[in-house]
Amino acid sequence: MQTKEAIKTYLLSQKVGNKLAVFHYLLNYPDYLNHSYLVKNCHISENTLILYLKELNQDLQQKVAPTIRVTSRHQFAALDLAGMDSAECYYKLLGAYCKEATNYRIVTSLLNRKVNSIIALSHETNYSVPYLYSRMKEIDQFLALFGLAISFTKSGERKIVGTEIQIQYCLIDVYWRIFANTELPFREKDTLNTFQFVDHYLDFHLADRLTSGQLGKVALVLMLCTDNFPFTSFEAVKKDIAKYPSNRIFLQPKLDFLKPDLDLCDEQRIILNILLRLTTAKVGTDEENYQHYILFQENHSPFFDTAKALVAALIKEFDLAIPENKQVLAILNICRNRLFNTYLPPADSTKSSFT
């Protein structure tokens, strides 16, 4: 299940999910849409559709921009964004709905380092302890998609099953899928220069090459993994990193995305390099890609050896003529996928229990 689908399934109510479905159709069709089309494709009744259109009009004006209009005339509906970017409009509405959603509030509070017990969770969310326990089945199913499980001891202490990278990736992915570039958590957007923030961390003038979307995502990774590190403990982080000694290759200057004089321990630097590669498309030049290729090859990285063998086998099997720079990029992309599968393994259903 993709994260966007999981957010709608586990974090939002069915009604909000249906309203978002109606909004999505209106957003993608600039002309008037027939009510019957929306009723059929959104699996709702005509009366429910009329109600949702009215509520969407109010929600958009109150939560996104007062100039937006949803109109419905003679069995046809249309959306007028008044010049606003459609993607920004969608993410602002989704973010507003999530902030109001019970399960979203519980999940984000559970993944707050300071909320370390069921009592603290109750204080943070203003929900009673019995009510919180009643919601944990759905929340556990959502977290399991990231390989995580949260349980409580008999005394109510929170316990988390999952590695530092899994926890940090979950936070990054959830926030990005909901807010994208419309909002950065824990910071006031109007006081934060995103480019300067990213440029403070990245080496080799990488910030100059990032698109606005990439810049926002890199800022989110850096923000969460510096403000929120370590989520577990330094001892747990060291154990996680020690399981795969080959990951220390990311400390080599030619592979390390980060400036050398930052106040980061080796483990945090490795985790940031892994997460930046897992969450952002490659932005290196052909020359830099080739340098990375040679470095992986010289260090006999297990990721690299497998990727190179796979690309070579495909070229031979299908008699392909692929330029060298494209082969290098393909190998590096496969290495990236191997990183994902190694550090973010599928959820283990045996871990999804509460004590």
Side-chain angles (χ1 to χ4, degrees):
M1 182 182 292
Q2 297 295 319
T3 305
K4 280 188 177 181
E5 182 184 350
I7 288 167
K8 293 175 184 177
T9 301
Y10 295 112
L11 302 189
L12 297 175
S13 67
Q14 184 177 2
K15 177 181 179 179
V16 170
N18 288 337
K19 285 166 68 173
L20 280 170
V22 172
F23 177 66
H24 188 265
Y25 278 109
L26 294 174
L27 200 61
N28 285 281
Y29 289 89
D31 299 321
Y32 277 87
L33 273 177
N34 192 293
H35 279 200
S36 61
Y37 179 88
L38 291 168
V39 165
K40 178 181 178 182
N41 286 277
C42 297
H43 309 289
I44 54 178
S45 69
E46 173 73 19
N47 288 337
T48 300
L49 173 63
I50 293 171
L51 174 64
Y52 286 175
L53 291 172
K54 290 180 179 178
E55 290 185 359
L56 276 171
N57 187 58
Q58 293 175 346
D59 292 345
L60 287 164
Q61 291 175 17
Q62 294 172 3
K63 305 175 191 299
V64 181
T67 54
I68 296 175
R69 295 286 183 273
V70 175
T71 56
S72 178
R73 298 174 184 171
H74 309 297
Q75 298 296 304
F76 285 88
L79 174 67
D80 180 6
L81 294 179
M84 186 174 182
D85 179 75
S86 60
E88 182 182 8
C89 183
Y90 176 81
Y91 283 112
K92 282 189 173 182
L93 183 63
L94 174 61
Y97 281 152
C98 283
K99 287 179 180 180
E100 296 171 349
T102 297
N103 282 1
Y104 172 83
R105 292 179 59 196
I106 295 173
V107 165
T108 52
S109 296
L110 274 172
L111 294 176
N112 182 330
R113 282 192 302 171
K114 297 178 182 178
V115 179
N116 54 13
S117 69
I118 190 68
I119 298 299
L121 180 63
S122 178
H123 290 162
E124 181 75 11
T125 59
N126 291 320
Y127 297 131
S128 70
V129 169
Y131 181 74
L132 288 170
Y133 274 115
S134 74
R135 308 293 296 212
M136 290 309 299
K137 183 176 180 180
E138 282 186 344
I139 290 167
D140 195 37
Q141 290 174 327
F142 177 76
L143 292 175
L145 299 173
F146 298 90
L148 302 177
I150 295 181
S151 62
F152 298 101
T153 64
K154 291 181 179 178
S155 61
E157 181 184 358
R158 181 194 64 183
K159 296 198 308 181
I160 297 181
V161 174
T163 67
E164 183 78 17
I165 291 180
Q166 286 174 310
I167 296 169
Q168 297 285 4
Y169 182 85
C170 175
L171 285 166
I172 293 162
D173 202 35
V174 170
Y175 275 116
W176 183 255
R177 300 296 178 184
I178 293 173
F179 299 106
N181 271 326
T182 61
E183 184 175 329
L184 289 172
F186 319 127
R187 305 287 176 101
E188 293 293 333
K189 189 172 182 181
D190 55 356
T191 62
L192 175 69
N193 184 309
T194 306
F195 178 85
Q196 289 181 356
F197 177 78
V198 171
D199 193 52
H200 171 74
Y201 285 93
L202 295 193
D203 205 359
F204 307 124
H205 304 289
L206 281 172
D208 293 323
R209 304 179 197 165
L210 299 174
T211 65
S212 60
Q214 290 174 326
L215 194 69
K217 197 166 191 180
V218 169
L220 181 64
V221 173
L222 295 170
M223 196 174 295
L224 289 172
C225 297
T226 52
D227 290 354
N228 209 35
F229 180 89
F231 189 95
T232 52
S233 67
F234 279 114
E235 292 73 18
V237 170
K238 288 179 179 179
K239 287 181 180 179
D240 291 343
I241 296 299
K243 290 178 183 177
Y244 305 101
S246 61
N247 58 31
R248 299 192 71 82
I249 194 173
F250 295 116
L251 296 176
Q252 296 200 28
K254 289 183 179 179
L255 270 179
D256 192 350
F257 282 150
L258 305 166
K259 290 180 178 176
D261 57 348
L262 297 171
D263 185 21
L264 302 171
C265 64
D266 285 352
E267 289 78 12
Q268 188 177 11
R269 189 174 285 271
I270 289 170
I271 287 174
L272 278 169
N273 269 284
I274 290 172
L275 289 171
L276 286 169
R277 285 170 168 82
L278 292 181
T279 57
T280 309
K282 291 190 68 62
V283 294
T285 64
D286 283 350
E287 181 181 352
E288 288 168 347
N289 289 339
Y290 189 71
Q291 289 176 355
H292 295 171
Y293 174 93
I294 295 299
L295 194 57
F296 278 121
Q297 183 172 252
E298 290 175 347
N299 284 268
H300 301 288
S301 166
F303 297 147
F304 175 85
D305 292 340
T306 303
K308 185 179 180 182
L310 178 59
V311 170
L314 288 172
I315 290 173
K316 181 178 180 180
E317 178 69 22
F318 296 101
D319 193 23
L320 302 174
I322 302 178
E324 184 180 20
N325 65 328
K326 298 297 184 183
Q327 291 186 42
V328 167
L329 187 59
I331 291 169
L332 292 177
N333 282 335
I334 294 173
C335 288
R336 180 175 177 269
N337 291 335
R338 288 290 306 278
L339 271 178
F340 187 95
N341 292 330
T342 298
Y343 290 99
L344 303 169
D348 182 350
S349 60
T350 63
K351 297 177 182 177
S352 302
S353 60
F354 287 81
T355 57

